[in-house]
Amino acid sequence: MEGNSPSLQLQQLPLATAAVSVQPHTDSFSYKENLIGALLAIFGHLVSSIALNLQKYSHIRLAGSKDPRAYFRTKTWWSGFLLLLLGELGVFSSYAFAPLSLIVPLSAVSVVASAIIGIIFIKEKWKPKEFLRRYVLSFVGCGLAVVGTYLLVTFGPNSHEKMTAENITRHLVSWPFLLYMLVEIIVFCLLLYFYKERNANYIVIILLLVALLGSMTVVTVKAVAGMILVSIQGTLQLDSPIFYIMLVCMAATAVYQATFLAQASQLYDSAQISSIGYILSTTAAISAGATFYLDFMGEDVLHICMFALGCLIAFLGVFLITRNRKKPVPFEPYISMDAMPGMQNMHDKGIAVQPDLKASFSYGALENNDSMPEIYSPATLPIVQEQHGPRGVPAPPYRVLEHSKKE
C-alpha cells in the first residue's frame, strides 16, 4: 500500500492540477465576456442616441410641411432608422455575454449621449444667463454618469452560465423567482387598478408599471439571446419549447411596456420620464436578474457595495442631466387663433378681440419690415367740400385721393 501511494498521488496530481487551473481560466474568460457585453451595450446605446437625434433633426426640418409623412422620403430619417436597428441589435447581443444586472444600468450612456448630441448636433439654443443653471448641471451629470458607468463595469457581477433550455427551465421554477413573480403580479395588479379605476395618473404609478413589465422583458431577452448564442456555438436550443415561450413573453411585455410609455409621454415631460423611468426600470431589472439568474451569487460584500454605489452615482447623473431640460416646442408656420395676444379674451363680456400691439408684426414666415406707425396708422379718406355746379348737374360729395406710401 505504501509503495502504491506515491504512484496513486502522481496519478491524482494531474487531475487536481487540472481542476485548479480551470477556475482561473474560467474567471479570465468570464471577465472577457463581461467586457464584450459591456462594449456591445455601450456601442448600441451610443448608436441608438445618434439615430434618434437624426430622426429628430428630420422631424424638425419638415415640421412645417403639409404632408405629415414627408420625413419618410428623406435620407436622414432612413439613416436614423437603420442606425437604430443596428444599435438595438448591439444591445440585444450584449445580453448574451454579460450578466443582466451589468447590462441594464448601462442605458445611462444613451442619456449622456443624447444630452451632448442635442447641444452639438441639433444646436439647441441657450442664453448666457441660463448656462450656469442648465448646462453646468448637465455637464456635472454627464461626469457622474461616466463615473457610475465605470464602477458598474469594474465591480459588476461575474456570474456566467450557458443559457441552455435546461438551465432556463430550472431557473423558471425555482422558489426565489416564483416568490418574486408572485409579489410582482400583486403589485402590478394593484397599480393597474389605481391607474385604470381610480384615475391615478401619477407619473410614478405609470412608470412603475413600465418598470415591472420591463424587468420581465430583459429577463426574456437574455434567455432568447443566450439560447441563440449557444445554438450558434453548436448546441441547438431553438427546438426547445422554452425558447418560444420566452420569445412570446418578450414580445408581449415589450408591446405593453411601449403602450404605457406612450401614455406617460402624453401626460408628462420627456425629461421626467427619462430620469424617473431609468431609476425605476434599472432597480426592477437588477432585482429580476438577481432572483432569476442569481447574478450576485458568490460575490463578496465589497463588490456588491461598489456596484450599488455605481448605480447611485449613475442615477444622480441622469437626474442632473434631465432636471433642467426644456420641453421642446414644435415649430408652427402659422399663428394659431388661440395663440394671438388678444384671443384669450374672445368670450369675455364687452372686451374687444383685437390683438394687442406688440413689438413687431409678423404672420407665420411672412414679416413686414415697414415701420410700426405706418402699419397701424388709421386709413384716412380726405373729404373735399361739395362744389355746386350748374343746376341739375349733381357734384360728387367727396372723392378719394390716392396717397402713396411715401406721403
Side-chain angles (χ1 to χ4, degrees):
M1 293 295 295
E2 295 179 359
N4 294 333
S5 59
S7 62
L8 182 59
Q9 293 177 359
L10 290 177
Q11 290 177 1
Q12 293 176 351
L13 182 60
L15 296 177
T17 306
V20 172
S21 63
V22 168
Q23 187 65 29
H25 177 73
T26 304
D27 290 343
S28 177
F29 182 71
S30 61
Y31 280 116
K32 289 180 180 179
E33 283 189 331
N34 277 9
L35 182 60
I36 292 173
L39 291 178
L40 283 174
I42 293 173
F43 170 78
H45 289 303
L46 285 176
V47 173
S48 298
S49 300
I50 297 173
L52 292 175
N53 280 278
L54 279 175
Q55 291 182 333
K56 179 181 177 182
Y57 179 72
S58 177
H59 284 283
I60 290 175
R61 291 188 60 186
L62 298 175
S65 176
K66 295 181 179 179
D67 187 4
R69 298 183 178 182
Y71 52 86
F72 283 140
R73 295 189 292 269
T74 61
K75 296 180 180 179
T76 305
W77 191 89
W78 283 107
S79 299
F81 179 75
L82 294 176
L83 286 177
L84 184 62
L85 291 180
L86 179 62
E88 293 299 326
L89 180 61
V91 176
F92 178 79
S93 302
S94 65
Y95 285 97
F97 293 94
L100 176 62
S101 301
L102 174 61
I103 297 299
V104 172
L106 293 180
S107 57
V109 176
S110 62
V111 181
V112 175
S114 297
I116 297 175
I117 296 173
I119 299 173
I120 298 175
F121 182 72
I122 304 298
K123 298 180 180 179
E124 296 177 351
K125 296 181 179 179
W126 54 273
K127 296 179 181 179
K129 295 181 180 180
E130 297 179 351
F131 181 82
L132 183 62
R133 183 175 63 87
R134 295 186 64 218
Y135 290 98
V136 169
L137 289 178
S138 298
F139 292 148
V140 172
C142 290
L144 290 176
V146 171
V147 173
T149 303
Y150 173 77
L151 293 177
L152 290 173
V153 176
T154 305
F155 298 98
N158 197 31
S159 60
H160 294 271
E161 65 175 340
K162 289 187 176 181
M163 292 291 101
T164 60
E166 182 181 358
N167 290 336
I168 294 175
T169 305
R170 178 169 50 83
H171 288 304
L172 192 61
V173 297
S174 61
W175 71 265
F177 182 71
L178 292 178
L179 180 61
Y180 176 82
M181 280 296 301
L182 178 62
V183 174
E184 181 168 315
I185 290 173
I186 294 174
V187 174
F188 184 85
C189 292
L190 289 175
L191 292 175
L192 191 62
Y193 169 76
F194 283 105
Y195 176 62
K196 293 293 184 180
E197 300 297 331
R198 300 289 184 176
N199 293 325
N201 297 327
Y202 301 107
I203 186 172
V204 176
I205 292 180
I206 302 176
L207 294 182
L208 270 175
L209 292 171
V210 174
L212 294 177
L213 288 171
S215 64
M216 292 298 100
T217 302
V218 293
V219 166
T220 53
V221 165
K222 180 171 178 58
V224 172
M227 294 179 75
I228 292 176
L229 179 63
V230 172
S231 300
I232 293 175
Q233 292 175 349
T235 306
L236 184 62
Q237 302 293 323
L238 304 184
D239 57 349
S240 176
I242 193 64
F243 173 80
Y244 297 98
I245 292 174
M246 289 293 181
L247 185 63
V248 171
C249 292
M250 179 186 70
T253 53
V255 169
Y256 283 107
Q257 184 182 358
T259 302
F260 285 113
L261 275 177
Q263 295 174 6
S265 62
Q266 294 176 358
L267 299 174
Y268 298 97
D269 186 33
S270 60
Q272 294 179 341
I273 296 175
S274 299
S275 58
I276 300 176
Y278 170 74
I279 295 173
L280 295 179
S281 298
T282 302
T283 304
I286 292 175
S287 302
T291 54
F292 188 87
Y293 294 108
L294 304 177
D295 287 342
F296 296 97
M297 182 66 68
E299 297 289 336
D300 54 4
V301 179
L302 177 62
H303 278 72
I304 295 176
C305 292
M306 293 301 294
F307 179 82
L309 179 62
C311 290
L312 293 177
I313 294 176
F315 291 165
L316 180 59
V318 171
F319 174 75
L320 291 178
I321 292 172
T322 58
R323 180 173 179 267
N324 293 316
R325 183 179 297 176
K326 288 185 177 181
K327 186 176 182 180
V329 179
F331 172 74
E332 296 182 1
Y334 301 101
I335 298 178
S336 59
M337 294 300 295
D338 56 351
M340 296 180 68
M343 290 303 292
Q344 62 270 21
N345 301 326
M346 184 173 62
H347 300 290
D348 294 344
K349 297 180 179 180
I351 300 178
V353 185
Q354 179 66 30
D356 300 329
L357 177 61
K358 297 296 181 180
S360 62
F361 174 78
S362 63
Y363 184 79
L366 304 178
E367 295 185 359
N368 196 326
N369 295 324
D370 297 336
S371 61
M372 299 300 296
E374 293 179 357
I375 295 174
Y376 286 93
S377 59
T380 58
L381 297 176
I383 300 177
V384 180
Q385 296 293 332
E386 180 179 355
Q387 299 178 358
H388 297 280
R391 184 174 296 178
V393 181
Y398 64 88
R399 61 190 179 91
V400 179
L401 299 179
E402 294 183 357
H403 291 274
S404 64
K405 187 176 180 181
K406 190 173 183 180
E407 293 177 353

